[in-house]
Structure formats: structure tokens, C-alpha cells
Amino acid sequence: MQVTSQAFKANAHKALGDDNLKTALFKLQHHFTNNRTRAVEALPEFERLRDRARDIKNEVLGALDFYLERFEQKVAEQGGTVHWCRTPRQARETILSLCRSVEAKTCTKGKSMIAEEIALNPFLEENGVQPIETDLGEYIIQLADEPPSHIIGPAVHKTLPQVADLFLEHHKRYGKTERQTEPEALVGEAREILRQKYLDADVGITGANFLVAETGSTIIVTNEGNGDLTQMLPKMHIVVASIEKIVPTLEDLSTILRVLARSATGQEFSVYTTLSTGARQSADLDGPGAFHVVLLDNGRSEMIGTELQELLRCIRCGACMNSCPVYHAVGGHAYGWVYPGPIGAALDPKFIGLEAGQHLPNASPLCGKCESVCPMRIPLPKIFRYWRDKAFEEKITPLPQRAGIGVWAWFARRPELYRLASRLGIGVLGRLGRKAGKFRSLPLASGWTEGRDLPAPEGRTFHDLWQERRGRRGPPKSGDPFRKLFS
Amino acid sequence: MSGRDEILGRIRAGLGRGALEGARRAALEAKLANPPRNLVPARAAALDHADQVELFIEMAGKVDTQVTRVKDLAEVPGAIADYLAQKNLPTEIRRAPHPLLDQVPWQAWPTLSIQTGRAEGADAVGVGAPLAGVAETGTLAYASGPESPATVNFLPETHIAVLRAKDVVAAYEDVFARVREKSAGGPFPRTVNFITGPSRTADIELTLILGAHGPKRLHIVLVDDGEG
Amino acid sequence: MTERPVSVGLFVTCLVDLFRPTVGFAAVRLLEEAGCKVAVPRAQTCCGQPAYNSGDRADATAIARDVIAAFRGFDYVVAPSGSCAGMVKLHYPALFAAEPTMKAAADELAGRTYELVAFLTEVMGMTRVVSDFNGAVTYHDSCSGLRELGIKEQPRKLLASMPSLTLKELPGAETCCGFGGTFAVKYGEVSSEIARRKAKDIVATGADTVLAGDLGCLLNMAGSLSREGAALKVRHVAEVLAGMARGPAIGEPSDDAEPGRR
């Protein structure tokens, strides 16, 4: 997808003016956070499971080469094939050639963030293979020709009337000429239309939440069952997954599954957790005849051994965005690339470059809520600071900001000069603001005062007052140039 | 250089070592050969089997799954017929060719019309025999195979599972132990499906709707078979 | 043998120094009530967060060095801010990860640095305050204090010891107010929106005063409440605990040229 992260401020401005979005985000915030809290409270071992989940992924990343080779070997033993792709382009081309090998005209698709990352849909379309998104949210945004705005609720920004309009427009050709307005009827309509698509598709493409090294299994976790119909009915099942999705054993999988749904939707367990291991076996009555795993690197291997390695623990549950005050305000599209919210702010600069992505790790109050809910205990604020350091170091941070911090720090390192300067500044502000108690607008602070008032300072600095009242030296009154100026 | 070698090479460079060898590798091999269990929540694991069955029913209920307990396999067709009648559903059934379901005296209930095999798009009711039920979350676990085609559990609008109470286990790990045992020496089943309630979506304004793509309803017939 | 009183170096914090000296004096009063001997090192300015959070490691590290030097020798260092205390406790040691001598000094300082209310309750064992406050208050948990230092129950415990005070819990008390230091200015529009939502939640409690432990958050919430036309008073929790809540609240008109006297 096209990167618009560099326009974060403009994107955010637009989002803040969108009342539909505001309503949708308000719902999301309360829905997911309340559900998560309930689910966590119902499982006393939750915090210890988070620790264990983190440790499992750390073990994986410390031996990722070993586990990937084992995974490949197991997939092969089960009659499948693993394709190693360094770049999105390689991954797209691999998938296309697999589709062509079975003369595919259409392929159904389960929800996959990696497919978004490699921009698979437009590529397949351009090359004569029609991709059909089957996750209801993905289907909605495919009709709307929009990118997902949330990693587990891609269409969470869409309102019911918007979906009703989209369905009316796109389902006419299936003879659906009545505008449905109830969610149940809309879901039913999509179910009916997509059912035929599953039956007709030549290839089913899914993502993977996990890859199990022990067995060569790929795992998807869904509530709709779309991923299952996608993979069990066509001739070929293609799994597209990034290399860090590995977990060693089925026991490790069990542990991480216990934190996934609870963190994501606040369910105890998602409706469908599916392990797919190889192609249809000789005596099986159903299932795809061919099974391929397209493994994507796209720079992840370079993150191993760096400050960014911890991001590779992410299981894409969305808890960080569900709890993020910035995401709640601006929604997912404002971030301007595939991964929104805190995980996107930490991850996107790696994929799109720091120059384009510099706003994302900066547009955070560093409140730490994301880290506090992350099931894998990824220190997201620490990663934001890592990017901020790097942007400052590489002079990507705009000059006025760098210069401003420089001047401020110069004073902060010289306490006596700092006091003189602050005495002057606060004296003026205090006198100007005393009567109203606040400023409704203030030059140089418009970023603050456009949306809220700035309370006026009390007018004297603590250090001056302390010197006056408790200091061993005499009060600095006579030496205060502003006293003279104003009195 | 192949993509594979490049990726593995970069990982190794990041880790500051070559291919994993020696004691470290042996330790990982040992773990994969004999996977240890991690922390398993006490919720189900600490209960005796009868209470695990109760918990299973309770948890299934919480995810919109109706459970009917019957004494033995002979009562299964009646329970299914009652359920279908109560919901005003068709009585044409597609059942998995599973040995457990072979033992059910279907012919005693002529109102039910039974077909055996994989499901097709038009099938309305699917009856499957899961490998286990998981008490922890009220989850069914199926392992696919000639006797258990996955389509039966996904294509029909109504999914009915016939589960023996003695096949209720505490945790997901117990299911995996059974799958390993079942596939020992041979291939792993093509799919292992954990199913927790009927299909659902909340993709339109976070309104929960049952029956997005998979079954709209899930009914479990729990066969005590001397237990409980 | 009489015991030497506990010596505390007060880390005033730049915002209290500049905007609300009353909070500094309230902190001193509470510390003295707890039996501490309080000093205010002259060589302090700021903890360095503006530089640190802007990616300016060099300046942040230099400022940290100065703070470490300025606060040598005190039994404890106390700040009326979870954010600044968190900076010293958690982030200073990380700044000197590659400099063993300074790392040791930073660790040593971190070990004796506390946020005010946490210090009063955890170190000095304070369970009640001597003052009272007549009113219905609500309390916002500032992020750094809450998540970096685990400050949640401590202020509530002391507030509960004031017989005439009613605490009305704030729904979403643990949600950020949108301040975030330089974030509030660099991303003012987003920050203001978050603050507006917080202000709405605060008003809905029906409390007449909102309290928090960090002046940054308080300035932000006061600014938003005032812009939205709400009549609530906004104060640092220390002002109330110290019985110094009679003067103008944050953002209120004032004819007071002598802050921190009342």
C-alpha cells in the first residue's frame, strides 16, 4: 500500500474531524478493553503465562535458524513445500507462480497482515488472478478499496450504514437489490455470496498466526471459520507467513494461544484454532491437494541481535492499539502504513524507512499502556525512544526541534543562568496571566493553546521563593530586574 | 545464494554464530523430541474428571453451545432428532464415517436421513465425532483423517458433535498428547481443529453475529457411556 | 543517642519550579511533617526528559550527570512527580549502560530516589496526614507514576485519612491525559483531543476537584477543563495533603504574589 506516514499530522487532523470514525473508535475502545479486562481477571495464571510466552519467543529468536530449518523439514515430510523469500517481491512472484501452476482464476483469502505487507492483492489482480477476501472485515474494505485500519478488526472504522451502502453497490450483480440495514442480514448476505466463492476458488491463501517447528504445522486463529473454508476446499493451500512466527512445540503453542485471544478480543479462546500440516493425505476425503508455505523475511532477519529484536515477539493481537489513547483518537489509517497503533509506530519505520516514518514513534505520549497490556511484554515505549534517538542522531528530526532542545539543554546545564532566564520568563507570563489565570492563546505555544488553555504560572519560581524564605543568602528581591520593571 | 541461505545467514550473523551445533543443539533436539509442558492453568487441570465434564458443559454454554447429555450411544439419534425438531431444522444429516458414529443405531430413527462421507455445499446438518472436548474453554478438538473429514464440521449450517464424556480432557496439551499418540510413526493429521462455539463475527460495528462463514449453531451430544 | 533525621534532597522539577511553586512548598511541608530534614540543592534544573524523549541522548546524559552530582549525599531524593522520579529511577541507569562508573552512580541515585507520595507512605511509613480537605475529589493516575513506579494505592490511602474528603473514582483513571511532555506541543491536536476526553470523564464524576501527582498532567487537564468551560478545580495531590489548597487552583485567576504561603 502507498505510504502516507509522512503526512501523519494531516492524516490525524482529517481523522479527528470524522464523526463516524469517532463513534467507531469510541465503541472499539470500550468493547475490547472491557472484554480483555474480564478475560484476564478470569484466569489467575494470566501474568505468569505472559512471562512464559515472552520467554518462549525469546528462545525461538535465539535459535531461529535451527527452528526454521526444522519447520521446513517437517513440512516436507508432510508433503508440503517451503519457499524462502527475502523480499515482498519474491513472495508475490512465488505466490503468483504457484497460482499459475494450477491455472488459478480466483483465489479465496483468509486474513493476513503479511499479504498486506507484500501488497499481494493488487499484484494478483494485475496478473489475472482474482483474490477474494473472506474475512468479513477484509471483505468490506476490499469492496471499499481501503487498507485495514486495525490488525484484527480491519473494517472497525466502517459504520453500519456505510457497510449497507457498500453491499448494495457491490451485490447488485448477484441479484441483491435491497439495501439491508441490520447487521445480521448483512452478514447473511456476505455469507451467501462468499459461500459460492469458496466452492469455486482454485487456490486458498491464508496467513499464519504461528508455525510449529516440531510438526511443521501452520496455525490460524479465527472466529468466522473463513480461514478454514478457504484452505479446505480449493486444490491448493498457500500459507504466507513471516519468519518470526515460529514456536518450537505444541506445548509452547498452547501457552501462547492462552494469551492471544484474551489479549485480542477478550475471548477465552477464539472459535477456530486450526493447525494445518501438509496436504491432503492419501486416504483423506477432503482437503487441498497441495500445501505451500511462503516464508517472508523482509528485513526481519536483520533485526535479530539489535534493539528491534523484541518486536519479533509480536503475535499481532492488537491489544496495544485497543488500549492506545492516540489510536483511540486518530484510528488506524492515520498511521499511513500496514501496521497501525503502537506496534506499527515501532515497526513501520523499519519497513518504510525512518525518514517517512519518523512521526509514528514521536506521536506518542509514552504513557506505557501498550506495554502494560502486550501479552508478549514488548517494551514499545523503549522502541519509540530508540527511533527518536536514531532520528535525532541522523538529523532526521526537524532542525527547529533539534535547535530548540539544544538551546533549552544549554540553559538546563547552567543552573544560575537558567534561573535568571526562568525568572524573567515566568515573571512576564505570571503577570500577563494572573488576572485570567490562564492563556487562551499564546504565540510560540499554539500547539498547546489551539485545543486547550494554558494555565498561567504563579509568577515566581520555586527556587527564588525558597531562597527568599529559607535560603541562607538574602532574598533575591533587589536583584530581580522584573520586579523593578513591573512595579 | 538462495533466499534460504541468505535468510539463515543473516539470522546467524545477528546471533553472532554459525549453524547451531553441539550441546545447545542437542538440548533443542531433546526438547522437540520430548516437549515439556509449560504452565497449565489450574482451572480444569486441578479438577477430577467428573468436574472437568461439568466445567466443559459450563464453558461450552458460555460460547452459545448447547450440550445434551445422554446415557449411551443408543440415545444419540433421539437427542439429535429432538434438537433438530426443536430448532425446526432439516433432518437430512451428513455424518463423518467415524467408528464411534458407526456404532450409533441411526436406523432406529427413520425420521433422520443419514448420509456418510465428506460434506458438500448443500448439506444442512453435519455430525462429527471429535477426538476430545477441552474443559478449559468448552472446546471441541477434531483431528482430520479418513474417518473425520473436516468439511463435515465447517460446511453445514448446523454442526452436531457426538462426544463421549470420557473424551473430555482438561487442557489443549491433553489433546496434543492424543494427536501424537494417534499419529505415532505416521504423518500428523492434515488438520487439527479446535472449535469453541459456533462461527461468529463482530466486524460490523462490533455487533456480535453468529454464523459468519462456519456453522451458525453448534450442538454437543455428550455420551456418558457408563460415566457420570 | 538521638537519631539523625532523614535528610531529603527535594527535586523540585522544572514544571513546579516554573508554574506552581506551591506544590514545592506543599512537598516540603509534608516531608517535614514526616520528620525529614529537607534541602533544595541549587544546582538542579530539570531531569532531562525533554531531551531524552526527543532523542537527544547527549544532552539528556549531560543533564543526568549534573543531577547525579547535585543530589550526592542525601539519604533520599524526592520529587513531587512520578514522571521525573521515574526518569531518575529507571532511565538514568539505562543512559549510562556503557559507562560503568557513572552507571554505578546512577544506580545508587536510583535506589534512593522516590516520588513524593510513594516516599511518604513506603519509606516514612506515613498512614495519615494532619490536614483535612472539605470536598469531593477525583484522582487521575499519571502514567509514569502508575506504570513505572506502581503508584496507585498510596495517594488514595493518604486522601482517605482526610475526614471531610470524599473520593469519587474516575472511570478511565489509568488512561493517559494526553500530556506526554513535548508530545503535547508537537502533536497538539491529538494531545488536545485526548485531554478533551479526559476532561469529559472528569466532569462526569461530579467531583469538584481533580487531583493528580504530576504537574504536566495537571496543566493539561486544567487547560482542557477550562477550555471546555468546566468549573472544576485542579490541584496537585500534595497541595491537598499538605493543607495548602486554599489559594487559587491551577489555572484560576490570582491576586496572589506570594504562592505557597497558604
Side-chain angles (χ1 to χ4, degrees), chain C residues 56-82:
Chain C
D56 181 357
R57 280 277 167 145
D59 279 324
T61 309
I63 292 169
R65 256 179 238 284
D66 295 345
V67 172
I68 291 169
F71 285 91
R72 252 182 215 126
F74 296 103
D75 294 338
Y76 294 100
V77 176
V78 174
S81 156

Side-chain angles (χ1 to χ4, degrees), chain A residues 416 419 423 460-477, chain C residues 17 25 39-43 261:
Chain A
E416 292 308 324
R419 277 204 227 307
R423 185 180 303 143
R460 306 275 312 275
T461 69
F462 176 83
H463 285 286
D464 281 354
L465 289 164
W466 179 259
Q467 279 303 303
E468 222 169 88
R469 295 174 193 175
R470 301 271 195 113
R472 264 165 287 154
R473 285 187 281 159
K477 257 185 188 164
Chain C
D17 179 43
F25 287 103
V40 182
R42 275 188 67 78
R261 281 278 193 219

Side-chain angles (χ1 to χ4, degrees), chain A residues 228 273-277, chain B residues 131 141-144 175-176 179 188-194:
Chain A
D228 293 280
T273 297
T274 299
L275 286 75
S276 308
T277 315
Chain B
L131 185 67
Y142 284 92
S144 72
V175 172
F176 290 132
V179 177
F188 202 77
R190 185 188 66 79
T191 63
V192 173
N193 294 110
F194 287 96

Side-chain angles (χ1 to χ4, degrees), chain A residues 9 13 359 367 385 388-389 412 416 419 434-435 440 449 452-453 458 460 462 467 469-470 473, chain C residues 17 21-22 32 42 44-45 53 57 147 184 186-187 189 191 197 220 223 226-227 253-254 259:
Chain A
K9 282 190 184 182
H13 175 77
H359 277 301
C367 76
R385 286 198 180 92
R388 293 178 186 198
D389 289 355
E416 292 308 324
R419 277 204 227 307
R434 182 171 299 156
K435 208 169 152 199
R440 291 191 74 84
T449 53
R452 76 213 119 175
D453 297 343
E458 291 185 302
R460 306 275 312 275
F462 176 83
Q467 279 303 303
R469 295 174 193 175
R470 301 271 195 113
R473 285 187 281 159
Chain C
D17 179 43
T22 298
E32 288 179 346
R42 275 188 67 78
Q44 61 174 305
T45 56
N53 291 336
R57 280 277 167 145
R147 282 183 271 273
K186 278 192 291 183
Y187 298 92
E189 199 180 0
S191 168
R197 294 176 186 197
N220 186 41
S226 137
R227 179 64 57 92
S254 160

Side-chain angles (χ1 to χ4, degrees), chain C residues 107-234:
Chain C
D107 283 336
E108 192 269 339
L109 176 64
R112 58 189 167 88
T113 298
Y114 286 85
E115 183 276 338
L116 174 68
V117 182
F119 177 76
L120 292 172
T121 52
E122 290 166 16
V123 179
M124 300 309 292
M126 189 184 266
T127 54
R128 54 185 313 280
V129 292
V130 291
S131 312
D132 195 7
F133 180 84
N134 194 355
V137 307
T138 190
Y139 188 88
H140 164 72
D141 295 287
S142 292
C143 300
S144 304
L146 176 71
R147 282 183 271 273
E148 290 189 337
L149 305 176
I151 297 166
K152 178 80 189 176
E153 292 313 318
Q154 302 90 323
R156 287 172 175 77
K157 198 168 94 181
L158 293 185
L159 290 171
S161 77
M162 306 181 94
S164 313
L165 179 147
T166 321
L167 179 66
K168 298 187 167 193
E169 281 293 350
L170 171 64
E174 297 188 358
T175 300
C176 179
C177 72
F179 173 64
T182 53
F183 169 77
V185 181
K186 278 192 291 183
Y187 298 92
E189 199 180 0
V190 180
S191 168
S192 296
E193 173 62 22
I194 301 173
R196 201 171 296 130
R197 294 176 186 197
K198 176 61 74 178
K200 226 179 184 174
D201 288 345
I202 291 170
V203 170
T205 62
D208 44 51
T209 304
V210 55
L211 306 177
D214 260 279
L215 192 55
C217 316
L218 289 162
L219 291 170
N220 186 41
M221 294 188 290
S224 193
L225 284 163
S226 137
R227 179 64 57 92
E228 301 300 308
L232 271 95
K233 292 184 191 303
V234 182

